[in-house]
Amino acid sequence: EDVNLKRYGIRFFSRPWDRTSLTADWVHEDDDGGTMPRSYERALVRLNWKYRKLRLSFLASYNFNQLGDTDTDRNRIEATLARDF
């Protein structure tokens, strides 16, 4: 098998408010060097907020994976509230 991988990605990071961080990430890959072409794409957005020992985070992501004629979509939404002791 041969590999002919092309990957593109972009990342954005910001601190829009006090104690808050925002990250957005996008990645796309193509590999057409083997017997079956492969494609992969991921998009992700994360928001973190921290106040003293309390942490709140939100995550939303989308993954797309294609190998030949088979493709898989995966979506995820997550919220986490944690306190450090």
Side-chain angles (χ1 to χ4, degrees):
E1 293 280 325
D2 190 18
V3 176
N4 187 17
L5 180 67
K6 293 180 231 50
R7 179 181 172 116
Y8 308 98
I10 188 166
R11 176 171 285 171
F12 171 79
F13 178 79
S14 175
R15 293 193 178 273
W17 307 286
D18 288 344
R19 300 181 292 273
T20 305
S21 65
L22 175 67
T23 305
D25 189 28
W26 175 81
V27 173
H28 180 83
E29 291 181 356
D30 282 320
D31 181 9
D32 56 4
T35 56
M36 292 181 20
R38 184 181 69 85
S39 179
Y40 171 77
E41 187 166 350
R42 181 189 75 215
L44 180 132
V45 175
R46 181 186 307 259
L47 179 69
N48 292 318
W49 177 76
K50 187 173 182 178
Y51 181 72
R52 296 188 183 180
K53 294 187 177 189
L54 186 67
R55 288 180 289 127
L56 177 64
S57 70
F58 294 101
L59 171 76
S61 69
Y62 167 76
N63 289 327
F64 175 75
N65 201 356
Q66 184 177 31
L67 180 62
D69 294 332
T70 306
D71 45 310
T72 306
D73 287 314
R74 193 176 327 155
N75 297 312
R76 180 173 135 194
I77 297 174
E78 181 180 309
T80 305
L81 178 64
R83 184 183 185 280
D84 296 330
F85 290 100

